[in-house]
Each structure stands twice: as C-alpha cells, then as structure tokens.
Amino acid sequence: MPPVPCYLTENKLIPRLSPEEEFPDLSQHNNHMAKVLTQDMYTKLRDRATPNGFTIDGVIQTGIDNPGHPFIMTVGCVAGDEETYEVFKELLDPIIEDRHGGYKPTDKHKTDLNADNLKGGDDLDPNYVISSRVRTGRSIRGFCLPPHCSRGERRGVEKMSVEALDSLSGDLKGKYYALKNMTDAEQQQLIDDHFLFDKPVSPLLLASGMARDWPDGRGIWHNDTKTFLVWVNEEDHLRVISMQKGGNMKEVFNRFCTGLTKIETLFKDKGTSFMWNEHLGYVLTCPSNLGTGLRAGVHVKIPNMSKHAKFEEVLKRLRLQKRGTGGVDTAAVGGTFDISNADRLGFSEVELVQMVVDGVKLLVEMEKKLEKGQSIDDLMPAQK
Amino acid sequence: MANNFARMLSSKRNVRILSLIGAGSLTAGFLLNREHVTAGAQARRVYPASAEYPDLRKHNNCMASHLTPAIYAKLVDKTTPNGYSLDQAIQTGVDNPGHPFIKTVGMVAGDEESYEVFADLLDPVIKERHNGYDPQIMTHPTDLDSSKLTSGNFDERYVLSSRVRTGRSIRGLSLPPACTRAERREVERVVVDALAGLKGDLAGTYYSLTHMTDQEQQQLIDDHFLFDKPVSPLLTCSGMARDWPDARGIWHNNTKTFLIWINEEDHTRVISMEKGGNMKRVFDRFCTGLKEVERLIQEKGWEFMWNERLGYILTCPSNLGTGLRAGVHVNLPKLSKDPRFAKILDNLRLQKRGTGGVDTAAVGSTFDISNLDRLGQSEVQLVQTVVDGVNYLIDCEKKLEKGQDIKIPPPFKK
C-alpha cells in the first residue's frame, strides 16, 4: 500500500501553548485510548492531519469526554476517514491489538463472503432459537466517515447508496425511507417492524460528532420481504442487516453475502468501492468494527443455561458474547439472550458465522440437558 | 478518486500558504477593527456550497431566518485566523431546529474574529435578536459607574433576592465552542490568578471541578452555586462541553455574594447577588468586582474582549453588549394573575422566568424578573430599567392589594 500523505495541521498560532498544555487529563479514564495515549505519542501526532484535515484531537475526543463505561471497556476513539488508520497508526495499532485479541500491525485479515463455505446452520432448533441475524458495516471509499464528513459528503453517500440499492432486484428489491421525508404512517410501520433507528443519545456516539445535522442524509432501506435492511449514515456510511425469525442462519447468511456482493458490484460500476485493505479488512468508523465488522447472532431461549455457573466460561471458550434482546447495553428478558460472535478482526466472515452456528447448537444441547436435570460437564467445549 | 485526491492536495497547499499570511492578523488582534481582520485559510472544500447548504425548512431560529444560500456561499470557504469556520458557527442552529416558545439564536462565535469574518450573517442575526440594533452603524455604550443608580432599594416584603450577572472573555484565547484544552486551561490560569488578588469583601477561593472534594461539592450544591455539565443540546451541539470537566471551576468570595464561573458557556460568568432587595449594593459590588478583576488581568498583560460596535464579546450573540442580566426574585401574587401582566412587563422591557432560571416555571407566585435587553444600552441604563420596572410592579401589586386599579405603563423609551 502506498504511503498515505499527511500534512501539517492549520496550527493554532499561539506559540506559547505546547503539546504538554494540550495533553488531556486521562487520570480518571478507563478506555483503550486512555491506556495507550502517552504525552510523547500525543506530541508526535498533534502535528499531523489526514489529507481531509482530521486531527488527533478529533480521533480521541469521544474517549476524553467519556471516561469509561462501567461494564465494558470502550474503545475511546474513532476514525474520521480511511487515512486515519495510517496517519495515526502509532495510537491505533496498539488499540487494535488490545481490542482484537493480539492482532498485530503486520497481520493479514482474510475476507470470505462465500456462503457456500458455511457448514450446516440451517437447522438451529426454532423452539429455542427465536430469530437469526447477521449485520456488518461498509464505508464508501473517497468519502469522510460520520465523525468528520460534511453535509455535502453525507448527502453524497446517501445518493450513491440509494442509487445502488434501488437497482437491486428479485427478493432483494426494496425501498428507501429518508428520515427527514418520512410520513407518520411510514414511521409507525418502521417502528412496528423494529427497523427505525433514532438520533443517537449515547454520549459515546454524540461526542464524536457523528450526529451532526440530524436527520439530514440519513435513512433506512429495506427489501419488500423485510429480511434485508440497510441503515444509511447512522454510525457508519452503511450498516447492512440480514435477518429473519427462526433458526435458519444459513439462509440469513446466504442473503447477507448475496446482497453485499451485489451492492459492492454496483458501487464498482460507479467507479468507487468499499474501504478495504488486506491488513484491516473493511474499514469502519469505530476500530472495534474493523475486519469483518460482522456480528452474527441469535435470540435464543436459554433460561437454565444462563443461570448455570459455567455459562460465562462456555461463552468465552466458544468466542461468543451475550447481550440483552434490546442490543448492546441492555438486559436479557425472561431468559432470552442475544448470543453473537465476540470477534470481528482476524477471522473471516464464514469463520465467525460458523462459530455462532456451532456454538449456539451446543448451547441449545446444553439447555436441553439441563431441562432434564442432566449434567453438561461432558459437553464442555475446548477454547476456540 | 485520483482527481479528488489531487484537489485535496492542492487545496491543502493553499491552506498552508494562507495560514502563514493569516499569522500576522492574530498578533494584530489587539487593534481589532474590521479592516485589519483577514479571513483565515480556505477551509477544505470538495463540494460546491449549494451541496453543503443545510436544510433549514423546518427550522425556526435567528440563524435559519438569515442564512440565505447566497450568504452561505459567500462565507462557507472562510475561516477566522484560528481556523474557525461558518459550519462550526451554525452547527448548533442546524442541530436544533427550534424551541417551541422561544426563538433561539442558532449560532455561536468560536473566537472574537468570528464576529468580523462572519459579519454578513451575524449582523442581521444581532439586529433581529437585539431589537433593531444595527452593528454596522451604531455604537454600544459601556457604563459601569454604579453610583449613578437611583432608588435601588426594593421593598423586601416583595423582593426576596437581587442578582446581576454578566460574562467576560479573555482577548487572544478562543471561546468555548472552539478553544483547545490548552487555551481553556490558560483561561482558567489567567482568571484564577487575577481572582487570587482580590481583597477585602471580595477575597475568596477557587474550586476546580476536577479537584473538588465531595464535601466542597456538597457545600456548593447547598449554596446553589455548583454548575454541572450542560445537558441542553443547544449548548452541547456547539462543542462547548468538550473535555468536561477539565479547566472548569467556580470561584466565590467568602461572604458568598460574588461568584465567578470559569469555562462554562463563556470564559467567565460573573455574578453578584444577595438575599433581599438591595440592588444598589449588588450592583456596586458587581461594578467594583469587575473593574478590579480587569485591573488585575491587565497587570499581567491581558484584557477583556470588547469593541465599541458590539461591547463585550461573548460566545452567544444574545449576550453581546453588556451581557448583563439584572434580576430579582419577587412575589407578585395578585399582579401575576392579572391579564395585563404580560403587557406591563413588555412595556417595561422586562422578562419573567421561573425561579429556576431560563426555561423553568414559576413556583407559587414568585417570579424571576429581569431586563430583556443586552446590547445598545449601558449597564447603568439596564439596571436602572430593572429598578424602575420592579418598583412599578411592586406599586401595582400594592394597588391591587388595596383594590385599586392599575395602569399599563407607556412603552419604554430609551
């Protein structure tokens, strides 16, 4: 990859204010950025900007303003454009390594969106698995990311995305609903379908600047059968979601891969592509979503298993994580959990979905055993 | 992609050259007037102005009323010498379409030069907000001679407390929406240093938000002095809450009658207050304290942002001129129920708020009554307006108590 140019910032012309004076107070902080950022690093990075003018202060603002989540170690920084990951690599490489299980700056990430490579996944027990879902994000090369984009760029992303989505056909054929032009009836339908996203309220997101100009340039596209959904200009340029009731993860993943591949082809026809490189995979706003950006998950009824003393250990070994059914930062309702892959980077899409399929199958087996009052000791998996 | 990249490269080159030229204007900032201020570097531009123009069709604020596509196109590529842009100045107004009952301003200044570089938008906004004050032709009178105030002692059976507040900005340092951490810390240092030099009944202590003990925090809450991180999106969208609580703090004198907020919505907010109706003493202390602080910062080579066109420069255009709100908490059980109350206040150039401050409701029949105006009249004139107006309101209340009729006063003439 050719070296990415970076430029001196339009420095504030107040010569007596030094990088020591500018260094943030991170003494109360507990996030990945605060763990890594030193005075020396800040001094070095402060004089740089990406070709689009994004600076270190833009990268770390959200981490300064949000000292720490009580239960989750947040990342504490964002990218303003594709070049951020190069220009500020001294900061981002260690954060990526810490966040993504030891992923090194020299490692290569494998992309595999061939759904045929998934083994099984069409037979998760629907008595336990209520719904299946795969999501990821995509960024359009040549446009700044949500923390830094201008209104013109955001509208450009919307226009190009809608043009691409409008040309999908067959069971992917659908319609776009711009947030600012939505009728009350459309809005209510989208709420009832659980598709509507609202202006973010989390200070983690707001502090990065990605909610500016809301709801300009934002919208929701979904296919007629409501199984393929795209969010435009929320936390990323695009969030792509494939979902359906029941346990047929294979079908969900098929549609996911087909849809993504078709969309990518359409963008290539327009002379651009998704942000991607062989080290970081797909490039997204938050470093936690690099690589595949993929979260494949199910809503699964495991009231017995979830109360078992070894539940956390099992999840850890399977490389899975649990969430409440409202998504990140929610609690489980009545023993029904959202179970998904914990990893994003360093494994391919197929590998991650395989882990979810295999792992959920095992959890359901364990649940059935516990229902019968049997032990699950002989089912304990090895660390993946 | 290559074309975009090349365009960014060349505009970035222009930026570096122009920012060197812009350097001189900052040091000349102390002699600021319109001709000396150069707009700073060209901001990054990939789209034409028409593609960047915000969608303001659902908006109701002063910025939205005056930002035409033509003015936007003229100003969008300009920045102040500190690099502050029009898009940054208007962000809060774009993100907050409108308050149902109050027409908000919808924009802020990132530095003193914003008021010059973006004058094509700010001047009409100022004119609308400040009742016709035209910054292009008028001058603003500053008068902190509190001895001129007459009849400044209210009947304490009605007036529960008296208060005067304003803001001051330190020239040469960017304002809260735009300041860097180092600039904000410099503001704190300059002001706290000066306040440490206050003596007599003005002597006091600084409590930094970052280093406050739990006990100090509780005391400040009990005294109703503590300010918290802003939650209003009107404020947070402008960027003034970044890095909270770094370099924010509260200073007050030992008698708790003179209070200064540092790095909240402005560099400083200065408040003089006491229980009861002695507005004269409150205003005396206000003027003495302000002048003393000014003297102390000048000793160290600093000064307040001020010019004769706009008076004292603050973050929000609504606080230009005097930045002064003089008010009382006053009990008006009968008058407040009279249908003529609103009109009387209007003609007296007063506004009512709840006792929790802006956007709160009155409790019982106790109201916060203060001056409407900020710019175009001096401090002495505005406080006199409040004094005369509140005396009139109390007079009405007394008349109504006796079953007598009241009159709506004629509209206020300057």
Side-chain angles (χ1 to χ4, degrees), chain B residues 212-230:
Chain B
M212 211 174 271
T213 66
D214 285 343
Q215 211 184 343
E216 287 169 339
Q217 184 171 305
Q218 194 52 54
Q219 186 60 55
L220 287 165
I221 290 172
D222 295 340
D223 291 329
H224 304 288
F225 283 176
L226 188 66
F227 65 87
D228 216 346
K229 181 172 178 177

PDB file of all heavy atoms in Angstrom, chain B residues 212-230:
ATOM      1  N   MET B 212     -12.394  19.049  43.097  1.00  0.00           N
ATOM      2  CA  MET B 212     -13.293  19.307  44.217  1.00  0.00           C
ATOM      3  C   MET B 212     -13.415  18.077  45.112  1.00  0.00           C
ATOM      4  O   MET B 212     -13.551  16.962  44.629  1.00  0.00           O
ATOM      5  CB  MET B 212     -14.657  19.586  43.603  1.00  0.00           C
ATOM      6  CG  MET B 212     -15.531  20.523  44.334  1.00  0.00           C
ATOM      7  SD  MET B 212     -16.987  20.836  43.332  1.00  0.00           S
ATOM      8  CE  MET B 212     -16.419  22.211  42.378  1.00  0.00           C
ATOM      9  N   THR B 213     -13.411  18.284  46.430  1.00  0.00           N
ATOM     10  CA  THR B 213     -13.705  17.161  47.331  1.00  0.00           C
ATOM     11  C   THR B 213     -15.225  16.977  47.380  1.00  0.00           C
ATOM     12  O   THR B 213     -15.984  17.872  47.021  1.00  0.00           O
ATOM     13  CB  THR B 213     -13.203  17.448  48.752  1.00  0.00           C
ATOM     14  OG1 THR B 213     -13.963  18.539  49.287  1.00  0.00           O
ATOM     15  CG2 THR B 213     -11.729  17.812  48.763  1.00  0.00           C
ATOM     16  N   ASP B 214     -15.653  15.825  47.874  1.00  0.00           N
ATOM     17  CA  ASP B 214     -17.091  15.575  47.994  1.00  0.00           C
ATOM     18  C   ASP B 214     -17.755  16.616  48.895  1.00  0.00           C
ATOM     19  O   ASP B 214     -18.860  17.079  48.643  1.00  0.00           O
ATOM     20  CB  ASP B 214     -17.347  14.176  48.577  1.00  0.00           C
ATOM     21  CG  ASP B 214     -17.093  13.094  47.550  1.00  0.00           C
ATOM     22  OD1 ASP B 214     -17.038  13.433  46.340  1.00  0.00           O
ATOM     23  OD2 ASP B 214     -16.934  11.924  47.933  1.00  0.00           O
ATOM     24  N   GLN B 215     -17.025  16.982  49.947  1.00  0.00           N
ATOM     25  CA  GLN B 215     -17.568  17.947  50.896  1.00  0.00           C
ATOM     26  C   GLN B 215     -17.759  19.314  50.250  1.00  0.00           C
ATOM     27  O   GLN B 215     -18.771  19.978  50.416  1.00  0.00           O
ATOM     28  CB  GLN B 215     -16.579  18.072  52.052  1.00  0.00           C
ATOM     29  CG  GLN B 215     -17.205  18.392  53.377  1.00  0.00           C
ATOM     30  CD  GLN B 215     -16.109  18.581  54.421  1.00  0.00           C
ATOM     31  OE1 GLN B 215     -14.975  18.176  54.203  1.00  0.00           O
ATOM     32  NE2 GLN B 215     -16.451  19.189  55.537  1.00  0.00           N
ATOM     33  N   GLU B 216     -16.726  19.744  49.503  1.00  0.00           N
ATOM     34  CA  GLU B 216     -16.802  21.036  48.813  1.00  0.00           C
ATOM     35  C   GLU B 216     -17.958  21.020  47.817  1.00  0.00           C
ATOM     36  O   GLU B 216     -18.706  21.992  47.681  1.00  0.00           O
ATOM     37  CB  GLU B 216     -15.485  21.322  48.075  1.00  0.00           C
ATOM     38  CG  GLU B 216     -14.339  21.679  49.000  1.00  0.00           C
ATOM     39  CD  GLU B 216     -12.992  21.700  48.285  1.00  0.00           C
ATOM     40  OE1 GLU B 216     -12.867  21.067  47.207  1.00  0.00           O
ATOM     41  OE2 GLU B 216     -12.056  22.341  48.804  1.00  0.00           O
ATOM     42  N   GLN B 217     -18.104  19.866  47.141  1.00  0.00           N
ATOM     43  CA  GLN B 217     -19.157  19.750  46.152  1.00  0.00           C
ATOM     44  C   GLN B 217     -20.526  19.907  46.815  1.00  0.00           C
ATOM     45  O   GLN B 217     -21.386  20.639  46.328  1.00  0.00           O
ATOM     46  CB  GLN B 217     -19.061  18.401  45.444  1.00  0.00           C
ATOM     47  CG  GLN B 217     -20.074  18.243  44.338  1.00  0.00           C
ATOM     48  CD  GLN B 217     -19.843  17.010  43.490  1.00  0.00           C
ATOM     49  OE1 GLN B 217     -18.762  16.799  42.946  1.00  0.00           O
ATOM     50  NE2 GLN B 217     -20.866  16.185  43.386  1.00  0.00           N
ATOM     51  N   GLN B 218     -20.707  19.241  47.953  1.00  0.00           N
ATOM     52  CA  GLN B 218     -21.994  19.314  48.630  1.00  0.00           C
ATOM     53  C   GLN B 218     -22.289  20.737  49.095  1.00  0.00           C
ATOM     54  O   GLN B 218     -23.411  21.220  48.971  1.00  0.00           O
ATOM     55  CB  GLN B 218     -22.007  18.338  49.821  1.00  0.00           C
ATOM     56  CG  GLN B 218     -23.396  18.083  50.378  1.00  0.00           C
ATOM     57  CD  GLN B 218     -24.381  17.674  49.291  1.00  0.00           C
ATOM     58  OE1 GLN B 218     -24.151  16.743  48.541  1.00  0.00           O
ATOM     59  NE2 GLN B 218     -25.488  18.406  49.192  1.00  0.00           N
ATOM     60  N   GLN B 219     -21.267  21.421  49.596  1.00  0.00           N
ATOM     61  CA  GLN B 219     -21.459  22.800  50.050  1.00  0.00           C
ATOM     62  C   GLN B 219     -21.885  23.695  48.900  1.00  0.00           C
ATOM     63  O   GLN B 219     -22.790  24.518  49.028  1.00  0.00           O
ATOM     64  CB  GLN B 219     -20.151  23.323  50.679  1.00  0.00           C
ATOM     65  CG  GLN B 219     -20.291  24.714  51.315  1.00  0.00           C
ATOM     66  CD  GLN B 219     -21.315  24.729  52.426  1.00  0.00           C
ATOM     67  OE1 GLN B 219     -21.237  23.961  53.374  1.00  0.00           O
ATOM     68  NE2 GLN B 219     -22.311  25.607  52.305  1.00  0.00           N
ATOM     69  N   LEU B 220     -21.229  23.516  47.747  1.00  0.00           N
ATOM     70  CA  LEU B 220     -21.556  24.337  46.583  1.00  0.00           C
ATOM     71  C   LEU B 220     -22.970  24.051  46.083  1.00  0.00           C
ATOM     72  O   LEU B 220     -23.668  24.948  45.611  1.00  0.00           O
ATOM     73  CB  LEU B 220     -20.535  24.115  45.472  1.00  0.00           C
ATOM     74  CG  LEU B 220     -19.155  24.732  45.720  1.00  0.00           C
ATOM     75  CD1 LEU B 220     -18.124  24.156  44.772  1.00  0.00           C
ATOM     76  CD2 LEU B 220     -19.198  26.242  45.565  1.00  0.00           C
ATOM     77  N   ILE B 221     -23.387  22.780  46.190  1.00  0.00           N
ATOM     78  CA  ILE B 221     -24.753  22.432  45.796  1.00  0.00           C
ATOM     79  C   ILE B 221     -25.738  23.108  46.749  1.00  0.00           C
ATOM     80  O   ILE B 221     -26.725  23.719  46.329  1.00  0.00           O
ATOM     81  CB  ILE B 221     -24.963  20.903  45.799  1.00  0.00           C
ATOM     82  CG1 ILE B 221     -24.172  20.249  44.652  1.00  0.00           C
ATOM     83  CG2 ILE B 221     -26.445  20.562  45.661  1.00  0.00           C
ATOM     84  CD1 ILE B 221     -24.171  18.736  44.689  1.00  0.00           C
ATOM     85  N   ASP B 222     -25.464  23.022  48.059  1.00  0.00           N
ATOM     86  CA  ASP B 222     -26.353  23.628  49.055  1.00  0.00           C
ATOM     87  C   ASP B 222     -26.466  25.144  48.867  1.00  0.00           C
ATOM     88  O   ASP B 222     -27.525  25.721  49.094  1.00  0.00           O
ATOM     89  CB  ASP B 222     -25.841  23.325  50.472  1.00  0.00           C
ATOM     90  CG  ASP B 222     -25.887  21.839  50.792  1.00  0.00           C
ATOM     91  OD1 ASP B 222     -26.640  21.106  50.117  1.00  0.00           O
ATOM     92  OD2 ASP B 222     -25.168  21.407  51.713  1.00  0.00           O
ATOM     93  N   ASP B 223     -25.364  25.757  48.453  1.00  0.00           N
ATOM     94  CA  ASP B 223     -25.375  27.200  48.208  1.00  0.00           C
ATOM     95  C   ASP B 223     -25.990  27.554  46.858  1.00  0.00           C
ATOM     96  O   ASP B 223     -26.086  28.727  46.526  1.00  0.00           O
ATOM     97  CB  ASP B 223     -23.930  27.750  48.222  1.00  0.00           C
ATOM     98  CG  ASP B 223     -23.307  27.703  49.602  1.00  0.00           C
ATOM     99  OD1 ASP B 223     -24.059  27.834  50.589  1.00  0.00           O
ATOM    100  OD2 ASP B 223     -22.063  27.534  49.685  1.00  0.00           O
ATOM    101  N   HIS B 224     -26.360  26.571  46.090  1.00  0.00           N
ATOM    102  CA  HIS B 224     -26.889  26.766  44.731  1.00  0.00           C
ATOM    103  C   HIS B 224     -25.854  27.428  43.821  1.00  0.00           C
ATOM    104  O   HIS B 224     -26.174  28.229  42.962  1.00  0.00           O
ATOM    105  CB  HIS B 224     -28.173  27.600  44.750  1.00  0.00           C
ATOM    106  CG  HIS B 224     -29.233  27.003  45.631  1.00  0.00           C
ATOM    107  ND1 HIS B 224     -29.919  25.864  45.295  1.00  0.00           N
ATOM    108  CD2 HIS B 224     -29.691  27.381  46.839  1.00  0.00           C
ATOM    109  CE1 HIS B 224     -30.767  25.559  46.273  1.00  0.00           C
ATOM    110  NE2 HIS B 224     -30.648  26.460  47.218  1.00  0.00           N
ATOM    111  N   PHE B 225     -24.577  27.099  44.043  1.00  0.00           N
ATOM    112  CA  PHE B 225     -23.508  27.679  43.234  1.00  0.00           C
ATOM    113  C   PHE B 225     -22.985  26.719  42.168  1.00  0.00           C
ATOM    114  O   PHE B 225     -22.407  27.127  41.180  1.00  0.00           O
ATOM    115  CB  PHE B 225     -22.315  28.045  44.123  1.00  0.00           C
ATOM    116  CG  PHE B 225     -22.498  29.296  44.920  1.00  0.00           C
ATOM    117  CD1 PHE B 225     -21.531  29.688  45.833  1.00  0.00           C
ATOM    118  CD2 PHE B 225     -23.618  30.108  44.767  1.00  0.00           C
ATOM    119  CE1 PHE B 225     -21.681  30.856  46.569  1.00  0.00           C
ATOM    120  CE2 PHE B 225     -23.776  31.273  45.500  1.00  0.00           C
ATOM    121  CZ  PHE B 225     -22.803  31.655  46.407  1.00  0.00           C
ATOM    122  N   LEU B 226     -23.148  25.428  42.410  1.00  0.00           N
ATOM    123  CA  LEU B 226     -22.496  24.447  41.542  1.00  0.00           C
ATOM    124  C   LEU B 226     -23.147  24.410  40.170  1.00  0.00           C
ATOM    125  O   LEU B 226     -24.360  24.323  40.062  1.00  0.00           O
ATOM    126  CB  LEU B 226     -22.562  23.057  42.177  1.00  0.00           C
ATOM    127  CG  LEU B 226     -21.742  21.976  41.458  1.00  0.00           C
ATOM    128  CD1 LEU B 226     -20.258  22.275  41.551  1.00  0.00           C
ATOM    129  CD2 LEU B 226     -22.031  20.613  42.056  1.00  0.00           C
ATOM    130  N   PHE B 227     -22.340  24.484  39.117  1.00  0.00           N
ATOM    131  CA  PHE B 227     -22.893  24.247  37.796  1.00  0.00           C
ATOM    132  C   PHE B 227     -22.406  22.893  37.303  1.00  0.00           C
ATOM    133  O   PHE B 227     -21.318  22.461  37.648  1.00  0.00           O
ATOM    134  CB  PHE B 227     -22.525  25.370  36.818  1.00  0.00           C
ATOM    135  CG  PHE B 227     -21.061  25.510  36.491  1.00  0.00           C
ATOM    136  CD1 PHE B 227     -20.491  24.776  35.464  1.00  0.00           C
ATOM    137  CD2 PHE B 227     -20.251  26.406  37.181  1.00  0.00           C
ATOM    138  CE1 PHE B 227     -19.141  24.923  35.144  1.00  0.00           C
ATOM    139  CE2 PHE B 227     -18.908  26.554  36.868  1.00  0.00           C
ATOM    140  CZ  PHE B 227     -18.362  25.808  35.846  1.00  0.00           C
ATOM    141  N   ASP B 228     -23.244  22.267  36.521  1.00  0.00           N
ATOM    142  CA  ASP B 228     -22.956  20.917  36.067  1.00  0.00           C
ATOM    143  C   ASP B 228     -22.708  20.910  34.570  1.00  0.00           C
ATOM    144  O   ASP B 228     -22.978  21.893  33.882  1.00  0.00           O
ATOM    145  CB  ASP B 228     -24.133  20.003  36.416  1.00  0.00           C
ATOM    146  CG  ASP B 228     -23.651  18.624  36.806  1.00  0.00           C
ATOM    147  OD1 ASP B 228     -22.467  18.305  36.564  1.00  0.00           O
ATOM    148  OD2 ASP B 228     -24.464  17.855  37.349  1.00  0.00           O
ATOM    149  N   LYS B 229     -22.227  19.804  34.056  1.00  0.00           N
ATOM    150  CA  LYS B 229     -22.032  19.686  32.615  1.00  0.00           C
ATOM    151  C   LYS B 229     -23.355  19.967  31.924  1.00  0.00           C
ATOM    152  O   LYS B 229     -24.377  19.406  32.290  1.00  0.00           O
ATOM    153  CB  LYS B 229     -21.550  18.279  32.281  1.00  0.00           C
ATOM    154  CG  LYS B 229     -21.284  18.060  30.804  1.00  0.00           C
ATOM    155  CD  LYS B 229     -20.622  16.718  30.561  1.00  0.00           C
ATOM    156  CE  LYS B 229     -20.400  16.491  29.079  1.00  0.00           C
ATOM    157  NZ  LYS B 229     -19.705  15.232  28.809  1.00  0.00           N
ATOM    158  N   PRO B 230     -23.330  20.852  30.916  1.00  0.00           N
ATOM    159  CA  PRO B 230     -24.591  21.191  30.257  1.00  0.00           C
ATOM    160  C   PRO B 230     -25.237  19.968  29.620  1.00  0.00           C
ATOM    161  O   PRO B 230     -24.529  19.100  29.096  1.00  0.00           O
ATOM    162  CB  PRO B 230     -24.176  22.178  29.168  1.00  0.00           C
ATOM    163  CG  PRO B 230     -22.832  22.651  29.536  1.00  0.00           C
ATOM    164  CD  PRO B 230     -22.195  21.573  30.324  1.00  0.00           C
TER     165      PRO B 230
END
